[in-house]
């Protein structure tokens, strides 16, 4: 999927070194909200293992990974994933972040929109949800721009990168809402 100056790529097109660079450039900013990713990308070796594990997860169809690439620099600038796929009730969770230098430009919002299409059209999901920190206003705006509705707050649902349990906002998007 190609757009003005960026494109969305699948995991098989990604080199672990460039993913490490994306994490390293944003480590301080995302360490509280992406603790699993950050802890699995402490150096090139662990990053390579993390990408290999995610490739296996995709083969098993229990998760999917998308990367936003800047076409001008050829660098990775964003990461979007699908996890917690429940085929029994046809729902899944999205997670995402964009490089600090590309925030506020609408790129990650549009990329999330493309992944939503994938979830509903390819994975045949009935519901997609996003869980975000109550203080992550940027992520909340992306959810709302893409038609998600705030369904509630889950208390002490997420252990952040500092090991602290925190409340999260739960946003949901039904296929019926998406099709309208």
């Amino acid at each position: 999927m190609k757009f003005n100056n960026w494109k969305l790529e699948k995991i098989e097109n990604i080199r672990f070194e460039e993913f490490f660079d994306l994490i390293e450039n944003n480590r301080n900013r995302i360490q509280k909200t992406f603790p699993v990713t950050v802890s699995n990308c402490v150096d090139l070796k662990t990053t390579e293992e993390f990408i290999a594990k995610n490739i296996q997860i995709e083969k098993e169809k229990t998760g999917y990974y998308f990367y936003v690439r800047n076409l001008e620099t050829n660098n990775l600038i964003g990461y979007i994933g699908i996890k917690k796929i429940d085929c029994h009730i046809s729902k899944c969770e999205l997670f995402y972040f964009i490089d600090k230098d590309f925030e506020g430009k609408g790129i990650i919002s549009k990329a999330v929109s493309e992944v939503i299409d994938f979830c509903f059209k390819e994975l045949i999901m009935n519901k997609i949800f996003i869980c975000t920190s109550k203080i992550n206003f940027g992520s909340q705006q992306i959810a709302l721009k893409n038609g998600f509705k705030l369904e509630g707050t889950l208390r002490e649902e997420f252990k952040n990168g500092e090991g602290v349990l925190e409340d999260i906002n739960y946003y949901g998007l039904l296929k019926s809402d998406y099709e309208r």
Side-chain angles (χ1 to χ4, degrees), residues 1-168:
M1 295 166 245
K2 202 180 248 188
F3 297 91
N4 292 338
N5 58 351
W6 61 273
K7 68 179 176 176
L8 201 56
E9 295 185 346
K10 297 283 285 153
I11 197 165
E12 58 269 8
N13 299 325
I14 302 306
R15 295 182 347 272
F16 68 89
E17 299 94 343
E18 62 184 347
F19 186 68
F20 175 78
D21 288 343
L22 175 65
I23 299 302
E24 191 63 22
N25 292 338
N26 292 278
R27 186 173 303 278
N28 292 336
R29 192 169 67 87
I30 65 170
Q31 63 189 356
K32 282 180 72 174
T33 54
F34 277 79
V36 173
T37 303
V38 169
S39 67
N40 280 287
C41 298
V42 294
D43 55 33
L44 288 175
K45 182 177 175 12
T46 58
T47 304
E48 182 177 22
E49 293 166 356
F50 182 67
I51 294 293
K53 180 181 172 190
N54 288 348
I55 288 170
Q56 186 58 39
I57 287 170
E58 267 208 19
K59 286 180 183 173
E60 295 167 357
K61 300 181 190 265
T62 57
Y64 296 87
Y65 306 92
F66 299 86
Y67 304 84
V68 183
R69 183 177 302 282
N70 180 329
L71 294 174
E72 294 169 4
T73 63
N74 204 36
N75 293 333
L76 292 185
I77 60 169
Y79 177 49
I80 304 171
I82 303 167
K83 65 181 183 178
K84 296 183 182 173
I85 297 172
D86 184 337
C87 294
H88 180 69
I89 57 173
S90 301
K91 84 173 185 178
C92 63
E93 180 179 359
L94 291 187
F95 62 89
Y96 46 85
F97 80 86
I98 187 119
D99 182 271
K100 62 188 179 300
D101 295 333
F102 294 88
E103 283 184 308
K105 298 182 181 194
I107 296 170
I108 199 70
S109 185
K110 179 63 177 159
V112 165
S113 173
E114 294 299 315
V115 175
I116 290 168
D117 286 345
F118 175 82
C119 291
F120 286 133
K121 293 176 181 173
E122 302 294 323
L123 300 181
I124 318 299
M125 291 289 114
N126 181 58
K127 182 177 187 172
I128 303 168
F129 66 97
I130 294 171
C131 293
T132 182
S133 166
K134 290 179 72 173
I135 60 169
N136 189 342
F137 301 113
S139 185
Q140 294 169 28
Q141 286 302 82
I142 290 164
L144 294 171
K145 282 181 188 174
N146 279 287
F148 286 76
K149 306 272 188 261
L150 177 61
E151 295 186 3
T153 299
L154 304 177
R155 298 179 310 141
E156 296 186 2
E157 182 73 13
F158 177 73
K159 188 179 277 190
N160 70 25
E162 297 172 345
V164 175
L165 288 171
E166 60 180 65
D167 297 351
I168 57 171

